[in-house]
Amino acid sequence: EPEVTQTPSHQVTQMGQEVILRCVPISNHLYFYWYRQILGQKVEFLVSFYNNEISEKSEIFDDQFSVERPDGSNFTLKIRSTKLEDSAMYFCASRPTRGQYEKLFFGSGTQLSVL
Amino acid sequence: DAKTTQPNSMESNEEEPVHLPCNHSTISGTDYIHWYRQLPSQGPEYVIHGLTSNVNNRMASLAIAEDRKSSTLILHRATLRDAAVYYCILIISNFGNEKLTFGTGTRLTIIP
C-alpha cells in the first residue's frame, strides 16, 4: 500500500530556532494535513491544505506556524521560533478527496524536541 | 464537533474476540463513523468506517446500532499486534469539515 513519508524521524532544536518538518504525501492525493501529539496526550489537528492554500486551521496553528507545498510533491510545516511546548510528535496525513467516506493516510511522524 | 464516548481502557486475551464500544448519541443522519488505531510509536492507522449498515473488512467488523447512537468495533481474534489505542471518530456532514477530531480513545491491552 502507498505510504506517507516524513523526514526527519527525530529533530532536536534549540528554543527560538526555526524548524521545517517535511512530508511526502501519497502521489495522487489532493488534501493534506498536519497533526501533532504531545507525549501522553491525544492527537490534535493543526491544519488542512488543499489547492495550495489552507482550508482549515486550529487555534494551535498560530502565526509561528506555516505550511507550504513548494514543489508539487513535498508538504512542509515550518515553525518559525520554536518554544518548549512545541515538543511533540508531528504527523502528516493525506487523503485523495474530501468525502466523509475517505480515509486519512498518516505518516509515521517526526519527533520534535525543543531544548 | 460531534462527540464520541469510549472507555479509557480494555483488556482481552490473545486469540479471543474483542468488542470495543463507542457512544455517539449526537450523531446526525449523514455523519460517517470511522475507526482508527494508533500502535505504539506510530501514526494513526485507518481501521474501518460505516454509515448505517454493518461493515466487514480484513482488519475488523463494525456493528452499528439501528438508531446509530452507538457502534462497536469487533476484532474477531485479537493478536498481540492489535494492542493499540482505538479511536472512534464521527465525520460530520458539513461539507466544509476538513478534519478528523480525535478523542482520547480506548487503550486495548492484549494478554498473552
Side-chain angles (χ1 to χ4, degrees), chain A residues 1 31 33 35 37 41-43 45 48 55-56 89 91 95 98-104 106-108, chain B residues 30-32 34 36 38 41-44 46 49 87 91-93 95-104:
Chain A
E1 191 168 57
Y31 293 85
Y33 305 80
Y35 283 78
Q37 187 174 32
Q41 299 186 23
K42 65 180 184 179
V43 179
F45 168 78
S48 60
S55 299
E56 194 170 356
M89 180 72 87
F91 295 108
R95 74 203 306 190
R98 195 168 54 179
Q100 292 167 265
Y101 44 84
E102 282 292 355
K103 60 183 180 181
L104 255 67
F106 284 84
S108 53
Chain B
T30 54
D31 295 349
Y32 274 73
H34 283 237
Y36 283 74
Q38 188 176 22
S41 302
Q42 294 189 28
Y46 167 83
H49 76 270
Y87 299 97
I91 310 300
I92 67 174
S93 58
F95 185 71
N97 179 39
E98 294 290 340
K99 61 184 188 290
L100 269 65
T101 301
F102 288 80
T104 53

Side-chain angles (χ1 to χ4, degrees), chain B residues 25-87:
Chain B
S25 58
T26 59
I27 193 170
S28 297
T30 54
D31 295 349
Y32 274 73
I33 303 159
H34 283 237
W35 283 80
Y36 283 74
R37 72 180 186 181
Q38 188 176 22
L39 280 69
S41 302
Q42 294 189 28
E45 173 188 40
Y46 167 83
V47 178
I48 201 165
H49 76 270
L51 182 60
T52 56
S53 303
N54 295 343
V55 184
N56 299 297
N57 67 20
R58 64 176 179 81
M59 290 180 72
S61 295
L62 177 60
I64 301 173
E66 200 169 326
D67 63 5
R68 301 210 324 125
K69 293 186 176 182
S70 64
S71 61
T72 302
L73 179 71
I74 303 166
L75 307 178
H76 293 286
R77 195 164 164 267
T79 71
L80 295 177
R81 287 177 293 180
D82 292 321
V85 179
Y86 286 78
Y87 299 97

Side-chain angles (χ1 to χ4, degrees), chain A:
Chain A
E1 191 168 57
E3 288 184 345
V4 175
T5 56
Q6 291 186 243
T7 55
S9 56
H10 292 86
Q11 174 96 43
V12 181
T13 190
Q14 296 289 327
M15 190 170 59
Q17 294 295 304
E18 175 184 285
V19 293
I20 297 176
L21 308 183
R22 290 182 167 80
C23 168
V24 179
I26 295 171
S27 62
N28 62 342
H29 286 190
L30 301 177
Y31 293 85
F32 313 113
Y33 305 80
W34 283 101
Y35 283 78
R36 80 172 187 188
Q37 187 174 32
I38 295 170
L39 184 65
Q41 299 186 23
K42 65 180 184 179
V43 179
E44 300 175 293
F45 168 78
L46 292 179
V47 66
S48 60
F49 190 86
Y50 168 69
N51 200 25
N52 285 320
E53 60 182 28
I54 291 173
S55 299
E56 194 170 356
K57 60 182 180 180
S58 72
E59 292 177 352
I60 302 167
F61 195 88
D62 62 22
D63 291 344
Q64 294 299 312
F65 291 87
S66 63
V67 288
E68 196 176 37
R69 189 156 159 81
D71 57 13
S73 61
N74 290 286
F75 178 52
T76 62
L77 174 69
K78 182 193 290 187
I79 309 174
R80 289 189 183 81
S81 178
T82 50
K83 302 189 274 268
L84 294 176
E85 53 265 36
D86 293 327
S87 295
M89 180 72 87
Y90 288 79
F91 295 108
C92 174
S94 69
R95 74 203 306 190
T97 70
R98 195 168 54 179
Q100 292 167 265
Y101 44 84
E102 282 292 355
K103 60 183 180 181
L104 255 67
F105 293 79
F106 284 84
S108 53
T110 293
Q111 179 65 56
L112 177 64
S113 298
V114 182
L115 305 179

